[in-house]
Amino acid sequence: MTPQPNPPDPDPAPSARTRNAAATREAILQSALVAFTQHGYNGVGVREIARAAGVTAMLVNRYFGSKEQLFAEVVDVVFSGSTLITDDLPSLGRFAARGLVASEPRSVDGFVLMLRSIADPRATEILRRAIDERQRQLEAMLSGAHAHERAALFLALLLGIRAMQHMLASPTLAGAGEVVTDHLEALFDVLVERR
Amino acid sequence: MTPQPNPPDPDPAPSARTRNAAATREAILQSALVAFTQHGYNGVGVREIARAAGVTAMLVNRYFGSKEQLFAEVVDVVFSGSTLITDDLPSLGRFAARGLVASEPRSVDGFVLMLRSIADPRATEILRRAIDERQRQLEAMLSGAHAHERAALFLALLLGIRAMQHMLASPTLAGAGEVVTDHLEALFDVLVERR
DNA sequence: GTGTCATGTCTACAAGTGTAGACTAGTCAC
DNA sequence: GTGACTAGTCTACACTTGTAGACATGACAC
């Protein structure tokens, strides 16, 4: 006569996926990706991530070792995708400018993830490696004098815009139009065309 | 025979200041200013802030109401000081560029405080008001077309540079020299001189 | 059917959080 | 000296955090 003696479990656990390791791991990763992007490394707990994935908190550590390692894998995944940088040098500035203003708020973006998690030292260490690689990649494209410095400034500009847009929810830059795009392109072009 | 029966108190508590409300309040505020700037709103606890000020955690709430209100007052104080913006329009870009690269890592800066605390929703709400005011002030100076957008982009650039310098500890922009200063000035001038 | 192992859950712990209330003690007026 | 008020402390609570270990359970080979 004890079917569910304890109702304090507000966790429906979809359970559509039963005993599928790969799918479960992927579900946790996706859940973590969204959660970390929205609330930052410190702003979300493993229980919350697990619940959104339909599993228990312990499975997170089982599959990823620790919260920190999970975060590192999330960072890897996010920065594998295209983040506002194209291979075509002449249109680099235009691409970044349009990408910045065109993105809807819901999208997961590497720079937003970065900014939201930048307070925690462990997260920062992981993020530093990711941005370093991004900088090297950009530096190789921006050939010419002071490519190193210009690449760093390019990334700084990307980060700053994202900070104003998502973190501080600037109405000016969040729902931006032609004017902002044009100014942004001008800024990026200073760094791209500089020689 | 019980001079100090309990040595588990690792809190020397300077106590040079005895029963001075104003000085204690100021000490807590300064301690919070440094702590919040270094570790962010979520990265530091009231006990830690209090200990650095030589008092007990409860005094923080006694003087400031709550951690959140303490943070709000810290933000007010920091953004009252000069933060990389001058009243002289022609040298605005030069001033910001030089200020950014000249600052030593130990200094308390409003934009660093902002970036470190940007993850917490309560802190963000407070910071949003601060940056909004800063933007209005800047917008009034940058007269001409699209002053609103140019001001927002100006602040975004400041934030981005600070993010790369302090948070991600970019060696390129942290210990920066003439090259970075020149590029930065060129970027700011795009926003200042644009008409 | 049955054994076996990976997959997933439950309970628990130790640490840390912000804060409330009761308490102690210093300082100033008289 | 002494009373009174304020500056400061102590203990405690309710909560959340990441994680460890023991336990349950589903799926597949034979």
Side-chain angles (χ1 to χ4, degrees):
Chain A
M1 65 182 70
T2 60
Q4 277 93 355
N6 49 348
D9 187 355
D11 199 336
S15 167
R17 170 194 65 262
T18 53
R19 292 183 86 70
N20 182 338
T24 299
R25 206 191 124 96
E26 185 60 24
I28 294 174
L29 195 61
Q30 286 300 318
S31 168
L33 200 157
V34 173
F36 282 143
T37 303
Q38 287 186 338
H39 308 110
Y41 181 79
N42 262 334
V44 70
V46 288
R47 283 172 177 81
E48 202 170 337
I49 293 172
R51 187 172 14 161
V55 295
T56 311
M58 273 315 297
L59 262 202
V60 173
N61 277 12
R62 218 169 164 73
Y63 277 121
F64 296 91
S66 69
K67 185 188 181 184
E68 188 172 343
Q69 289 175 261
L70 170 61
F71 181 76
E73 194 148 336
V74 165
V75 170
D76 270 357
V77 168
V78 171
F79 277 87
S80 298
S82 79
T83 35
L84 302 168
I85 296 178
T86 176
D87 287 342
D88 182 44
L89 186 61
S91 63
L92 186 55
R94 183 174 208 83
F95 184 81
R98 293 193 173 273
L100 279 171
V101 305
S103 65
E104 67 272 24
R106 289 276 310 149
S107 67
V108 284
D109 176 76
F111 296 99
V112 176
L113 172 65
M114 187 167 278
L115 288 163
R116 280 250 154 76
S117 302
I118 220 167
D120 189 275
R122 289 162 304 194
T124 305
E125 187 54 40
I126 294 165
L127 292 169
R128 179 152 35 219
R129 287 196 289 269
I131 199 90
D132 275 354
E133 190 181 327
R134 217 64 178 163
Q135 183 173 347
R136 273 195 300 274
Q137 167 190 349
L138 199 52
E139 181 181 342
M141 283 170 49
L142 297 175
S143 56
H146 314 308
H148 192 62
E149 287 81 357
R150 286 155 57 215
L153 290 169
F154 196 100
L155 291 175
L157 192 49
L158 279 174
L159 270 172
I161 302 293
R162 279 300 194 223
M164 288 287 281
Q165 281 180 328
H166 285 70
M167 260 49 69
L168 301 171
S170 157
T172 312
L173 299 183
E178 201 74 19
V179 174
V180 171
T181 312
D182 288 348
H183 280 89
L184 260 179
E185 197 178 332
L187 285 172
F188 281 120
D189 281 346
V190 167
L191 298 170
V192 174
E193 299 171 358
R194 194 94 166 182
R195 65 198 132 252
Chain B
M1 67 185 68
T2 60
Q4 279 93 356
N6 50 347
D9 186 355
D11 200 337
S15 167
R17 171 194 64 260
T18 53
R19 289 184 85 70
N20 182 337
T24 300
R25 206 190 125 95
E26 184 60 25
I28 294 173
L29 196 60
Q30 285 300 319
S31 168
L33 199 157
V34 173
F36 282 142
T37 303
Q38 287 185 339
H39 308 109
Y41 181 79
N42 261 334
V44 70
V46 289
R47 284 171 177 81
E48 202 171 337
I49 293 173
R51 188 174 14 167
V55 295
T56 310
M58 272 315 297
L59 262 202
V60 173
N61 277 12
R62 219 169 163 72
Y63 278 122
F64 295 91
S66 68
K67 186 188 181 185
E68 190 172 342
Q69 290 176 259
L70 170 62
F71 181 77
E73 194 147 334
V74 165
V75 170
D76 271 357
V77 168
V78 171
F79 277 87
S80 299
S82 77
T83 35
L84 302 169
I85 296 178
T86 176
D87 287 342
D88 182 44
L89 185 62
S91 64
L92 187 56
R94 184 176 206 82
F95 184 82
R98 292 193 175 273
L100 278 171
V101 306
S103 64
E104 68 272 22
R106 287 278 309 151
S107 68
V108 286
D109 177 77
F111 296 99
V112 176
L113 171 65
M114 188 167 278
L115 287 162
R116 279 251 154 76
S117 301
I118 219 166
D120 189 275
R122 288 162 305 192
T124 305
E125 187 54 39
I126 293 165
L127 291 169
R128 179 152 35 217
R129 287 196 289 270
I131 198 90
D132 274 355
E133 191 180 326
R134 216 64 177 165
Q135 184 174 346
R136 272 195 300 274
Q137 167 189 350
L138 198 54
E139 181 182 342
M141 283 172 50
L142 297 174
S143 56
H146 315 307
H148 193 62
E149 287 81 358
R150 285 153 59 214
L153 289 169
F154 195 100
L155 292 174
L157 191 48
L158 280 174
L159 270 173
I161 302 292
R162 280 300 194 224
M164 288 287 282
Q165 282 179 329
H166 285 70
M167 260 50 69
L168 301 170
S170 156
T172 312
L173 298 184
E178 202 74 18
V179 174
V180 171
T181 312
D182 288 348
H183 280 88
L184 260 179
E185 199 178 332
L187 284 172
F188 282 120
D189 281 345
V190 167
L191 298 171
V192 174
E193 299 171 357
R194 195 92 164 183
R195 67 198 132 250

